[in-house]
Amino acid sequence: MTVHPSRHQQYLLVALFLLLIWPVAGLIAGWQWALFVPVWLVALWLSWRALAEPLFELVWDGQWLQWQGCRYQLGNKSRILPGVLSLELCPEPQESGAVSPRQLWLFSDALPPEHYRLLARAIHFLPPRH
């Protein structure tokens, strides 16, 4: 499954950049805006451009999800939210000790619809773990 940047993610990024201006506006006066605005616009442009390429690959085999070279199982705290999958990724048990679970959020338009439904179905039918 190739995960692409979603439009929701891009709009959230722009909103966060705009929220950054609000507290800074009180600290900047006069000529200092000439320094801040170009840097802010370049950072926004670079962030937007970086989102044009695929983000990462996920491999789902029905029980294990492979991401960033590690294998994970979906945890009990994985949720289907409106437009978002919140995945709790529990790593394989290792001899070195307990490893804490990781959290991955996927917007609905970051995956093709059939892959999104496949992961949502896997979350919905998770066996209870204690």
Side-chain angles (χ1 to χ4, degrees):
M1 298 178 202
T2 302
V3 178
H4 295 281
S6 73
R7 288 285 173 206
H8 299 295
Q9 182 182 11
Q10 289 176 338
Y11 296 146
L12 182 63
L13 178 70
V14 170
L16 291 174
F17 268 96
L18 291 174
L19 285 175
L20 178 68
I21 287 180
W22 182 27
V24 173
L27 301 173
I28 295 179
W31 64 271
Q32 295 169 342
W33 276 102
L35 297 175
F36 175 73
V37 171
V39 171
W40 180 82
L41 289 173
V42 167
L44 179 62
W45 176 71
L46 289 173
S47 299
W48 193 272
R49 195 179 69 167
L51 289 174
E53 54 198 44
L55 294 176
F56 51 85
E57 286 282 328
L58 293 175
V59 179
W60 174 252
D61 68 2
Q63 181 180 6
W64 292 94
L65 183 74
Q66 188 169 350
W67 176 50
Q68 295 181 340
C70 298
R71 289 170 35 117
Y72 301 95
Q73 281 188 320
L74 296 178
N76 286 337
K77 294 182 182 173
S78 296
R79 298 287 180 253
I80 305 167
L81 303 171
V84 177
L85 293 178
S86 170
L87 305 176
E88 179 192 36
L89 303 176
C90 300
E92 287 183 292
Q94 299 188 4
E95 299 83 28
S96 60
V99 181
S100 62
R102 298 180 72 180
Q103 195 73 22
L104 177 65
W105 289 73
L106 293 174
F107 286 97
S108 61
D109 60 343
L111 291 168
E114 59 274 3
H115 293 155
Y116 183 83
R117 285 192 299 270
L118 181 71
L119 284 175
R121 207 172 300 122
I123 292 170
H124 185 71
F125 292 115
L126 274 176
R129 292 188 200 137
H130 302 285

